[in-house]
Amino acid sequence: MNANQYPFSGFTASLSSDLTPHLFATGDQGSAAASVPSAIGRIAHGSRDASGEGAVVDFLIQAETDADVPVREALLDRAMGPGRRRKSSEKLRRGRLPAQGLAFVARDASGAVVGTVRLWDVRLGDAGRRALLLGPLAVDPTIKSAGIGSALMRHAVAEAQQLGHGAILLVGDAPYYARFGFDALKTGSLSMPGPYERHRFLARELIEGWLDGASGVLAAAGRKAKPEPQRAAA
């Protein structure tokens, strides 16, 4: 493996000279099945889960656009239900924009949005360092075993690291997120601004030592969203 290649959960990834990632779907023979120029983004080929069940789906990961927002919200409602808006993480997202360059969607072969993940700027305590909060991560429930969630996670982490961020935090299932390098080893002195399960409060450092000594309640630190214009009365 040369300096410009690295394993990507069943995919082979390479970095071009402009540092734009390209992904190639690989089969048993290891040949590149598809490639996408940097202007489009990353392409990946979904795989079956460990049990051999699940769909095989071709999908593309791209930056989210304004046109994706209503579709993304509908997907989140289907995947997570109406209670998603009551989670403590939502307090850190409400009225804010995602971190610059860190909102992504996965599209299937027809262009439909089938997955989403965003990262948000947060502050670690009153005078703490900045970090990122990841979530929500969601995939269309009809194709949840196609590898889309894993590809979105790895893409999001890689992009955050390339942009120079120091750490990513999230609230989620520890066994699932462990495969992406997340654990609770450095979140013991940190807390979310609302009810949450402490054993599900996880982090991954992108810069070694970034979370050393971090303590306090996470606070929103991102760009504020513009308020939606009020509709005139009929």
Side-chain angles (χ1 to χ4, degrees):
M1 184 178 298
N2 63 43
N4 288 330
Q5 291 185 322
Y6 58 94
F8 191 83
S9 184
F11 312 113
T12 298
S14 65
L15 294 180
S16 62
S17 58
D18 64 358
L19 299 182
T20 303
H22 302 265
L23 286 184
F24 305 94
T26 57
D28 293 337
Q29 293 76 27
S31 60
S35 64
V36 176
S38 59
I40 297 178
R42 291 182 166 191
I43 192 166
H45 190 71
S47 59
R48 296 186 184 276
D49 60 21
S51 66
E53 300 296 328
V56 176
V57 179
D58 289 319
F59 57 92
L60 178 72
I61 297 177
Q62 293 181 312
E64 182 183 89
T65 68
D66 290 343
D68 295 324
V69 173
V71 181
R72 177 247 292 158
E73 289 299 300
L75 185 154
L76 288 171
D77 286 340
R78 293 196 307 275
M80 306 179 71
R84 68 184 178 89
R85 293 183 174 86
R86 296 191 295 270
K87 295 185 176 182
S88 60
S89 298
E90 185 64 22
K91 294 183 179 181
L92 297 169
R93 298 189 287 258
R94 191 174 297 122
R96 302 282 176 164
L97 295 172
Q100 188 73 41
L102 293 174
F104 306 106
V105 295
R107 303 182 191 280
D108 65 12
S110 72
V113 172
V114 294
T116 174
V117 68
R118 289 170 292 163
L119 295 95
W120 309 79
D121 294 300
V122 294
R123 187 174 63 252
L124 308 176
D126 292 336
R129 285 177 160 178
R130 296 289 187 97
L132 295 170
L133 179 72
L134 186 146
L137 168 70
V139 174
D140 188 317
T142 63
I143 50 174
K144 285 186 68 174
S145 297
I148 296 173
S150 292
L152 281 166
M153 277 296 301
R154 296 186 188 280
H155 181 83
V157 170
E159 292 299 311
Q161 190 162 31
Q162 185 167 318
L163 288 171
H165 291 281
I168 302 174
L169 298 98
L170 59 83
V171 178
D173 183 28
Y176 175 79
Y177 288 104
R179 73 188 73 178
F180 310 113
F182 287 82
D183 58 47
L185 294 178
K186 292 192 175 182
T187 60
S189 296
L190 292 166
S191 59
M192 295 289 290
Y196 70 101
E197 297 174 279
R198 177 160 290 281
H199 68 279
R200 290 166 54 84
F201 189 29
L202 314 173
R204 171 177 168 170
E205 289 184 328
L206 304 178
I207 298 175
E208 186 176 356
W210 192 261
L211 297 177
D212 289 353
S215 63
V217 180
L218 267 61
R223 301 166 296 156
K224 291 185 178 180
K226 293 181 180 179
E228 295 183 5
Q230 295 183 348
R231 297 180 180 177

